[in-house]
């Protein structure tokens, strides 16, 4: 790890991005291998060295067969090893919640983070707080550890984030997107993120990258902002140490 400090920004090498759509040809993220490689290079230049690739498991945005996902991951992994040998890639999924997602445990493990019991779960943007709570509880009761994806984008969270305390008490982890903290998803989302950060309810910040232009795999600007406003220890926790546990777990 190497830190370089100046009056204007903080740069860090060794960040971890645990939510992105860099894996090509399987969802609404990268279209082809070339785009995946461009996104990996962009992330690498931004200081990211560990990435959990999380293609959608979603009825409209990503239902590729597991065998295709593994094949594409292995192809990208091989290229990355040659071009960026110190970039570490791991496989996960972003799982759209449905009441039957954990019924087949063997297949559900194909969707977890690096084959562990940790699962990145997303809900509809119009989901109710009760639905998030009950969905998270269902995942927990099935023996898995839920991470709620981009919780700041749910209307119920924007209106009243207090229910997130209940999720934390249940043992749920919370992920927000870097661009939300930077204000790129509107002022209401930014205000919500500010409250979540100030109350230290956030466990992970990730890029949720889908392309190289509008939703790019970048974290360093967010890292600098968090370091300035909340301290470098908190920035390290959210973009280095906590995410590292996602791919190092061997549940």
């Amino acid at each position: 790890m190497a830190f370089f400090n100046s009056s204007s920004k903080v740069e860090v090498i060794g960040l971890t991005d645990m939510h992105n759509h860099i894996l090509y040809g399987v969802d609404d993220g990268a279209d082809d291998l070339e785009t995946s490689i461009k996104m990996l290079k962009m992330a690498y230049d931004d200081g990211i060295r560990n990435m959990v690739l999380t293609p959608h498991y979603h009825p409209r945005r990503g239902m590729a067969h597991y065998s295709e996902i593994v094949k594409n991951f292995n192809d990208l992994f091989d290229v990355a090893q040659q071009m960026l040998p110190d970039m570490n890639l791991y496989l996960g999924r972003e799982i759209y919640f449905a009441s039957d997602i954990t019924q087949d445990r063997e297949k559900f493990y194909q969707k977890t983070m690096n084959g562990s019991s940790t699962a990145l779960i997303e809900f509809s943007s119009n989901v109710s707080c009760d639905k998030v709570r009950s969905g998270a509880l269902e995942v927990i009761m099935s023996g898995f550890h839920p991470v709620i994806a981009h919780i700041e984008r749910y209307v119920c969270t924007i209106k009243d984030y207090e229910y997130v305390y209940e999720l934390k008490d249940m043992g749920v982890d919370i992920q927000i997107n870097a661009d939300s903290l930077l204000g790129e998803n509107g002022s209401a989302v930014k205000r919500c993120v500010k409250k979540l950060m100030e109350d230290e309810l956030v466990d992970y910040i990730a890029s949720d990258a889908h392309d190289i232009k509008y939703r790019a795999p970048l974290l360093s600007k967010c890292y600098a902002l968090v370091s300035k406003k909340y301290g470098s220890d908190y920035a390290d926790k959210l973009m280095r140490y906590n995410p590292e546990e996602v791919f190092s777990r061997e549940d």
Side-chain angles (χ1 to χ4, degrees):
M1 177 180 66
F3 290 91
F4 306 89
N5 295 288
S6 71
S7 59
S8 60
K9 67 176 182 177
V10 179
E11 296 180 355
V12 58
I13 296 173
L15 300 176
T16 294
D17 186 9
M18 50 77 72
H19 176 188
N20 56 76
H21 300 274
I22 287 177
L23 188 62
Y24 69 97
V26 292
D27 65 3
D28 60 347
D31 290 328
D32 48 40
L33 179 58
E34 181 181 0
T35 303
S36 289
I37 294 169
K38 288 180 179 178
M39 293 176 76
L40 283 182
K41 288 181 177 178
M42 182 178 290
Y44 187 89
D45 291 342
D46 196 55
I48 296 170
R49 293 295 182 271
N50 304 297
M51 306 195 80
V52 186
L53 310 187
T54 54
H56 283 291
Y57 180 79
H58 190 284
R60 293 186 302 277
R61 294 197 297 272
M63 289 295 286
H65 194 275
Y66 183 62
S67 61
E68 181 181 4
I69 290 172
V70 171
K71 176 190 177 298
N72 290 9
F73 175 81
N74 288 335
D75 289 346
L76 181 60
F77 183 90
D78 290 342
V79 174
Q81 286 292 292
Q82 296 176 27
M83 301 181 64
L84 306 168
D86 56 335
M87 173 69 90
N88 302 303
L89 301 183
Y90 307 87
L91 183 58
R93 299 290 294 274
E94 181 182 11
I95 307 165
Y96 188 79
F97 180 79
S99 60
D100 61 348
I101 57 171
T102 61
Q103 287 184 358
D104 189 326
R105 289 180 61 84
E106 182 177 349
K107 286 188 176 181
F108 190 73
Y109 270 112
Q110 296 176 354
K111 305 176 184 69
T112 61
M113 305 295 272
N114 196 35
S116 72
S117 64
T118 298
L120 182 66
I121 307 293
E122 74 163 328
F123 295 85
S124 164
S125 61
N126 292 315
V127 68
S128 68
C129 297
D130 287 341
K131 182 67 173 180
V132 177
R133 277 191 294 260
S134 62
L137 181 60
E138 183 172 329
V139 174
I140 292 169
M141 295 301 291
S142 298
F144 296 94
H145 176 197
V147 177
I148 305 301
H150 43 62
I151 199 168
E152 79 283 0
R153 288 169 43 183
Y154 305 147
V155 174
C156 65
T157 311
I158 296 171
K159 289 181 176 179
D160 183 5
Y161 78 102
E162 295 287 339
Y163 82 103
V164 180
Y165 279 101
E166 298 177 47
L167 295 177
K168 297 291 291 183
D169 288 341
M170 292 164 55
V172 176
D173 283 349
I174 304 301
Q175 179 258 312
I176 65 172
N177 288 356
D179 59 1
S180 294
L181 191 143
L182 295 172
E184 297 173 12
N185 289 317
S187 58
V189 171
K190 187 177 181 179
R191 286 194 297 270
C192 177
V193 165
K194 184 174 184 290
K195 294 174 182 177
L196 295 172
M197 291 290 292
E198 288 176 345
D199 291 357
E200 297 189 3
L201 295 171
V202 179
D203 298 287
Y204 313 98
I205 296 178
S207 74
D208 194 9
H210 280 65
D211 52 53
I212 60 176
K213 187 175 182 181
Y214 300 106
R215 301 177 69 180
L218 304 174
L219 290 178
S220 66
K221 186 177 180 181
C222 185
Y223 180 91
L225 180 61
V226 174
S227 295
K228 180 180 179 180
K229 287 192 172 184
Y230 306 100
S232 59
D233 288 345
Y234 197 30
D236 284 336
K237 179 180 178 181
L238 300 183
M239 284 171 271
R240 280 181 47 81
Y241 304 131
N242 283 357
E244 285 177 1
E245 293 183 4
V246 168
F247 61 76
S248 63
R249 289 187 182 120
E250 296 180 356
D251 301 307

